[in-house]
Amino acid sequence: MKFDLDQNTRKEILIAVTEKLEDYYANTKACKITPTIDVANIKNLVSQVDLINGMDNFEAIDYVTKNLKENSVHTPHPSYFGLYNPRSNYAGIIADLITAYFNPQLAAWSHAPFAVEVEAHLIAELASKFGYSTNKFDGVFATGGNEANQTAVLCALNNQYPNFNRDGIFSVSKKPIIYCSEEAHHSVHKAAKTAGLGYNSVIPIPVGNDQKLDTTILKEKIEVSTQSNHAPLMIIGTAGTTGAGIIDDLVEINNIAKEYNIWFHVDAAYGGAAALSEKLRNQLKGIELSNSITFDAHKWMSVPMGASVFITSHPNILAKTFSISTEYMPKDADKLEVVDPYCHSIQWSRRFIGLKLFLSLLFYGWKGYEETINHQADMADLLRNKLTNNGWVVLNKSNLPVVCFTDEKNKNDQNFTTQILENIYENGNSWLSVYPINNINCFRACITNYNTTESELDELIEELNIERDKYTK
Ligand SMILES: *Cc1c(COP(=O)(O)O)cnc(C)c1O
């Protein structure tokens, strides 16, 4: 047995892997989207392999790819109208392979100058797309929106409390409060928990009829907080809610944040990609006024997980929050006027996350992204039209490709959606989720895949119509 495989074996393995992966990538649509779940069987599949001696390399590759194929929800499928999980674009896939080969260490600038500068340049490009001033921003790549939101809470705390860096939560006398829409992503609560503030420090603000955070109630809640033993810390506006794809009124939220001197963060994990389209950009009006932004490249920009960015209009806050000095880390950055990412981030050892986005831009350009994003928005418009023409009603008011709908006659029947979804999952031809709007259980279809076309929309509607007929019969 040899740990270091010889060149011929490596080539043969690469060819075998490429064949399997290409077969999956080219024929994703032939897969049944939803696997049949048999927990005992899956546990057995994993636990019965011989990890003491291992197995033949080629058998190992068969084993892994076969089981991923048979036991995953196929989010890369063009009829996966699901959560914000994309089909990985090809440049992103190749970038992850290249990253694994070179395995650059991005903790310190001097170990990976090209990689660190690529990420810094991408942060600058994105900051400018979001309308931040070109000389007043900073940012860092993160594993996901969860880490980026956590970064935001820590930055807000360090901005608000001069001694937070040294004394942490013991430097805070009143309970810091985070306000966000009740439709905000629950990574906000997680961020509050991991920052030591606790779940209850998040005050969810109800949404109005437009499904946006109700700014009148927001102001009332801030007033109540300031009169009690609470200290408002930050307001989070969501740009693209997870449920209904709604963008809060960012301009009005910013006005309130400025009035009370509170950190304004925009969670644009999904909807931030609207900034890349001339047609959709104005939906994000107000984002340029924020103190910080979360944006996931692994959602609408279709790079493989996990790739997110945290961007802030405060150039010094990341260093203030995360810098640390050690004896053993390279010190070159001090002399070179460059930034060591480990001093700007929750992470230490860092993977070259940014390459997935950089290579995608080298392959397709911002222009290619704009076309793709517009295509997905157009597909959602088409889906709304087709649904309406087939007697369905759309209940969310989103301009992003998220469509929540139901059937007028059956809308108050709680079982209608869940029963039909059960059948759809069983069929395995399409995948969509359920989301309540005004207490009505809606179907939720997101065009999250860049290669979803009109045929997939027609197939979805045909299946929905058939299931509705079966249900009402
Ligand atoms: C997906 C999402 C998150 C969480 O991001 P991850 O990348 O899954 O960690 C946070 N906020 C919003 C609005 C999201 O859509």
Side-chain angles (χ1 to χ4, degrees):
M1 231 263 295
K2 216 161 167 279
F3 201 84
D4 193 14
L5 304 175
D6 64 59
Q7 191 170 27
N8 266 340
T9 312
R10 293 200 301 268
K11 277 189 182 159
E12 283 170 18
I13 289 176
L14 203 53
I15 290 169
V17 170
T18 310
E19 266 174 20
K20 299 226 176 277
L21 297 183
E22 189 46 39
D23 179 56
Y24 175 67
Y25 206 65
N27 303 304
T28 320
K29 197 171 173 181
C31 298
K32 179 174 186 277
I33 300 185
T34 325
T36 313
I37 301 286
D38 176 347
V39 177
N41 176 45
I42 291 169
K43 283 183 181 289
N44 265 338
L45 277 173
V46 176
S47 62
Q48 286 187 350
V49 290
D50 180 356
L51 294 183
I52 295 177
N53 300 299
M55 58 167 94
D56 171 78
N57 300 333
F58 294 90
E59 271 176 44
I61 288 157
D62 282 349
Y63 163 78
V64 171
T65 48
K66 178 170 179 283
N67 283 308
L68 278 170
K69 195 166 170 187
E70 289 175 4
N71 299 294
S72 303
V73 172
H74 291 290
T75 54
H77 193 292
S79 297
Y80 173 78
F81 297 96
L83 309 171
Y84 299 136
N85 303 307
R87 170 182 176 84
S88 298
N89 81 62
Y90 200 65
I93 292 174
I94 296 304
D96 260 358
L97 183 67
I98 294 172
T99 296
Y101 267 81
F102 284 92
N103 205 24
Q105 168 58 286
L106 276 76
W109 188 93
S110 60
H111 257 51
F114 176 74
V116 174
E117 284 306 315
V118 163
E119 290 198 344
H121 185 63
L122 290 172
I123 294 286
E125 292 264 307
L126 287 168
S128 133
K129 297 270 175 208
F130 289 125
Y132 277 3
S133 148
T134 49
N135 56 11
K136 224 175 142 253
F137 69 90
D138 193 13
V140 70
F141 272 81
T143 51
N146 195 80
E147 184 191 330
N149 282 342
Q150 195 182 357
T151 305
V153 171
L154 295 171
C155 285
L157 282 165
N158 277 280
N159 181 66
Q160 183 88 3
Y161 302 103
N163 296 329
F164 196 84
N165 188 35
R166 195 189 61 206
D167 298 325
I169 210 69
F170 300 104
S171 63
V172 178
S173 53
K174 290 182 168 186
K175 182 172 178 168
I177 299 293
I178 300 168
Y179 309 86
C180 60
S181 144
E182 63 185 1
E183 296 283 306
H185 193 273
H186 282 77
S187 55
V188 171
H189 290 83
K190 247 173 120 171
K193 290 195 326 172
T194 48
L197 303 178
Y199 192 91
N200 284 343
S201 65
V202 179
I203 296 194
I205 308 293
V207 296
N209 282 337
D210 54 3
Q211 295 148 353
K212 298 177 187 204
L213 179 152
D214 185 322
T215 48
T216 311
I217 301 180
L218 171 65
K219 268 189 92 153
E220 288 165 11
K221 294 278 185 191
I222 294 174
E223 287 289 343
V224 171
S225 299
T226 40
Q227 284 156 26
S228 68
N229 203 30
H230 289 167
L233 173 70
M234 65 195 299
I235 310 177
I236 299 181
T238 308
T241 53
T242 316
I246 301 297
I247 299 177
D248 287 334
D249 184 344
L250 304 178
V251 172
E252 185 51 27
I253 293 178
N254 173 67
N255 289 339
I256 296 171
K258 295 290 180 291
E259 184 182 338
Y260 292 91
N261 194 23
I262 309 174
W263 188 277
F264 171 35
H265 176 69
V266 180
D267 183 356
Y270 168 67
L276 313 183
S277 155
E278 192 77 51
K279 226 168 69 180
L280 299 173
R281 189 174 302 142
N282 68 338
Q283 307 288 328
L284 296 173
K285 201 161 177 290
I287 197 169
E288 72 282 0
L289 306 166
S290 63
N291 299 97
S292 57
I293 299 168
T294 286
F295 173 57
D296 275 358
H298 66 213
K299 285 179 175 166
W300 207 345
M301 290 189 83
S302 69
V303 309
M305 289 181 270
S308 184
V309 291
F310 170 81
I311 304 178
T312 172
S313 53
H314 296 243
N316 301 318
I317 195 66
L318 279 169
K320 186 174 175 194
T321 304
F322 295 108
S323 72
I324 205 105
S325 109
T326 67
E327 289 307 315
Y328 51 85
M329 290 297 282
K331 297 285 186 298
D332 317 57
D334 298 348
K335 288 175 255 137
L336 293 170
E337 292 192 350
V338 291
V339 166
D340 281 336
Y342 83 100
C343 286
H344 265 63
S345 164
I346 291 175
Q347 297 173 48
W348 199 290
S349 284
R350 295 179 60 84
R351 181 182 172 80
F352 191 6
I353 295 172
L355 184 61
K356 298 185 251 212
L357 184 53
F358 192 61
L359 197 65
S360 300
L361 285 166
L362 292 178
F363 272 35
Y364 317 113
W366 290 117
K367 279 190 179 158
Y369 267 113
E370 180 163 23
E371 272 171 32
T372 304
I373 281 161
N374 286 342
H375 164 75
Q376 285 170 268
D378 290 347
M379 284 299 112
D381 288 340
L382 195 57
L383 178 62
R384 289 183 192 101
N385 276 339
K386 287 177 187 280
L387 283 167
T388 312
N389 294 340
N390 281 271
W392 300 89
V393 277
V394 174
L395 290 187
N396 67 327
K397 295 169 186 147
S398 175
N399 293 306
L400 305 181
V402 182
V403 187
C404 299
F405 60 97
T406 185
D407 178 70
E408 189 60 43
K409 284 199 207 79
N410 296 289
K411 68 179 183 190
N412 294 319
D413 176 353
Q414 292 290 331
N415 291 327
F416 176 70
T417 328
T418 41
Q419 179 61 56
I420 289 184
L421 277 180
E422 219 169 88
N423 296 346
I424 287 180
Y425 295 156
E426 179 85 33
N427 301 340
N429 301 319
S430 306
W431 201 98
L432 61 177
S433 55
V434 57
Y435 195 73
I437 296 204
N438 303 329
N439 295 319
I440 296 168
N441 258 348
C442 290
F443 294 98
R444 175 191 178 282
C446 174
I447 315 289
T448 183
N449 190 321
Y450 56 84
N451 73 358
T452 297
T453 63
E454 187 170 359
S455 342
E456 282 82 27
L457 306 185
D458 289 336
E459 287 157 16
L460 173 67
I461 290 190
E462 193 186 332
E463 188 173 15
L464 283 164
N465 289 347
I466 292 172
E467 291 297 334
R468 176 175 57 185
D469 287 349
K470 270 204 315 212
Y471 187 87
T472 42
K473 221 168 246 164

